[in-house]
Amino acid sequence: MSSSSEPKTIDTLLREHRHFAPPQDFVAQANTSDPTIYEQADANPETWWASWAEKLEWMKPWEQISDWSNAPYAKWFLGGKLNASVQCLDGHVAAGHGARVAYYWEGEPGDARTITYQEMLDGVCRTANALKELNIQKGDRVTLYMPMVPELAMAVLACTRIGAIFSVVFAGFSSTSLKDRIQDQEARLVICADGCWRRGKLLDLKTVVNEAIEACPSVEKVMIWQRGKGITSSAPATDRDVDWDEVVDRQSSQCAPAEQDAEDPLFILYTSGTTGKPKGILHTTGGYMTGVYATTNLVFDLKTETDVYWCTADIGWITGHSYIVFGPMANGVTQVMYEGAPNHPGPDRFWEICAKYGVTIFYTAPTAIRAFMKWGDEHPATHDLSSLRLLGTVGEPINPEAWVWYLHHIGGGRCPIVDTWWQTETGGIMITPLPGITTTVPGSATTPFPGISAKLLDEDGNEVEGANGGYLVLDRPWPHMLRGIWGDNERFEETYWSRFPGKYFPGDGAKRDEKGFLWVLGRVDDVMNVSGHRLSTMEIESALVDHEAVAEAAVIGVNHELKGQAPVGFVILRSGFEASDALADDLRKHVGTLIGGLARPEAVHFTPELPKTRSGKIMRRLLRDVAEGKTIGDTTTLADPGVLDGLRSEYEQREG
Ligand code: PRX
């Protein structure tokens, strides 16, 4: 018999935690513990969303809540005027909370800064005035290429202050990826940092920017915030460079906010699709602010007076936009922001930070949780994590083992976990538990947020009822939904609205259990999810065929213990090139250089042929079977079934 002091195995925990009911003391203090809000919101979704919009600061009230007559182009809060930065800053300062900490910032080397709401407001106004001096006007696009520093949030809010459309490009993307995005949006200004710290090294970002803007004539100026004060980057200055401190510091800390229409664009954020070209997802102001404000408030049960909230995402992804900048700041909570790697200088860095700032709400990705598990239980155990009261996950399905480990080793067995399903396109959380209401089940994102309607459909678009699987769709408009793809309406309509006409198709498959809970299973298209980030197989394939040695390439996402999925390439070489480990390595690096480190394939295999249908379509499903060592699935549509035998023996040889 096991004694109670013996450490529990994951299997024991899984048996003990088939369900997790919100603890009584959590329910007692929850922002909502009333299960009837679901029915109320369903009965009249417009009234429900308007009740949240009313909590925002409007310069002019809206005349109509929503308009779906021009579907799939939604409009929300028509005629209303507001400014997102006012909601995030001025309102809190005016209410007497200027001295409240907005961000506790922790640099990777251990340098730290504390920035209050008043300081953020002053900084945002100065930066906005600097943008005006650089002749940036309402509707102009500004590309941001910065690490996790408060100045990134400041730059974002400064753009919104004057009505410029900002677009953050994750600072791990290559110069080619950055260039493509700048060109697509025809940005007039790039704001970047000279570099940042990552795993003990200074990364040079300015060189990447210099390379990117060579082919970007639309860029008039590059404003550089110095992380390393001249030591980070050896990139030469260009005639477009202006120094952040030089131009921002001398500005006034007063800047009247632009009156933005509810439907004025707020930002463009690029995400991978099924073709090689990333999609510029467009979000507008009033609906987006309403959605992120409401979801942050209810899903994270925010208490602005007492909570210290930490979302470990990067602002370069949608999670950072919605749940580091706009949602939490609109609510006025105190946050932690960390620059660097979770295991630098040691695998307990996150837990040290949680203990240092008394973090109460912690939001991260399953891939990170699986890494924490691998690094060892002792790392969280050596820090005081008793301040935590709520945990969240996002980005990919969470395996039940990681879920119970998180509950037990980080949440001390007492913190509810919110597994939140959503996308760049949805703008905010769509399927999620509410921590004071939902009895959760490890691995399920449970039910749609109040006001959101999700259905499962079969191949033919018929609704799937009961405990069954199907294609996930959202069949009712919501305020924070995307308004389009920048410059490409056709692609917007084709990608999301053509598979099941009239319904939004996110590209995911899901199942429903007996309780009616949803389990999002993963992508059903040629998009893979690597460490919670979306990558397109086509984009990686294009990068591979860009190499002089490659004639043809197919890329698949294979299951990966830590990353969830990892890209693996199969390539046919041009004549005159020999397969070798060195060439495989070179190809992997080539993808990293063209797209960014995240996209670098785990492995590249050489093959004389690829499995194709008679019409020439690559059957990636069969490649996946080969790569995962599974029994090969249905091959009846294959033009030449013999191709697979060759592939498998080549694969087994390489994998040893
Ligand atoms: O496949 C789903 C998966 O991530 C995709 C969205 O990726 P992205 O736009 O990069 O946004 C990530 C952060 C919101 C979805 O189509 N996904 C996201 N969250 C979950 C998830 N899959 C299962 N469970 C989740 N909680």
Side-chain angles (χ1 to χ4, degrees), residues 66-80:
S66 76
D67 178 10
W68 191 228
S69 59
N70 189 30
Y73 299 91
K75 286 195 170 130
W76 282 82
F77 309 113
L78 289 84

Side-chain angles (χ1 to χ4, degrees), residues 57 83-98 102-103 115-125 153-154 156-158 160-161 289 325-326 329-332:
E57 315 236 345
N83 185 288
S85 76
V86 171
Q87 180 60 42
C88 292
L89 300 164
D90 306 57
H92 308 313
V93 171
H97 305 308
Y103 290 108
I115 299 171
T116 64
Y117 272 92
Q118 178 72 60
E119 286 165 341
M120 274 303 282
L121 175 59
D122 293 349
V124 166
C125 287
M154 238 175 238
V156 160
L157 292 170
T160 70
R161 190 91 181 163
M289 287 304 289
V325 182
F326 292 103
M329 293 205 80
N331 278 277

Side-chain angles (χ1 to χ4, degrees), residues 319 394-397 419-424 508 523 529 534:
T319 307
V394 58
E396 55 184 314
D419 171 1
T420 62
W421 176 89
W422 58 295
Q423 303 183 300
T424 306
D508 281 334
R523 307 287 309 186
N529 190 323
R534 263 157 84 170

Side-chain angles (χ1 to χ4, degrees), residues 4 34 52 67 137-139 243 270 315 355 367 374 396 404 435 539 650:
S4 59
D34 172 12
W52 283 97
D67 178 10
Q137 290 163 15
K138 181 177 163 127
D243 181 71
Y270 289 84
I315 294 177
T367 186
K374 190 169 167 218
E396 55 184 314
V404 294
E539 211 177 336
E650 132 79 25

Side-chain angles (χ1 to χ4, degrees), residues 269-272 281 313 317-320 323 363 366 393-398 418-429 431-432 443-445 472 504 506-509 518-525 527-529 532-535 565:
L269 179 59
Y270 289 84
T271 188
S272 294
I281 303 300
W317 309 108
I318 190 67
T319 307
Y323 299 108
Y363 189 32
T393 75
V394 58
E396 55 184 314
I398 180 163
V418 286
D419 171 1
T420 62
W421 176 89
W422 58 295
Q423 303 183 300
T424 306
E425 293 87 340
T426 69
I429 294 170
I431 301 178
T432 178
S444 167
L472 180 68
Y504 174 83
D508 281 334
L518 293 167
W519 299 65
V520 178
L521 302 170
R523 307 287 309 186
V524 296
D525 52 11
V527 169
M528 69 185 96
N529 190 323
H533 302 305
R534 263 157 84 170
L535 287 172
Q565 283 187 303

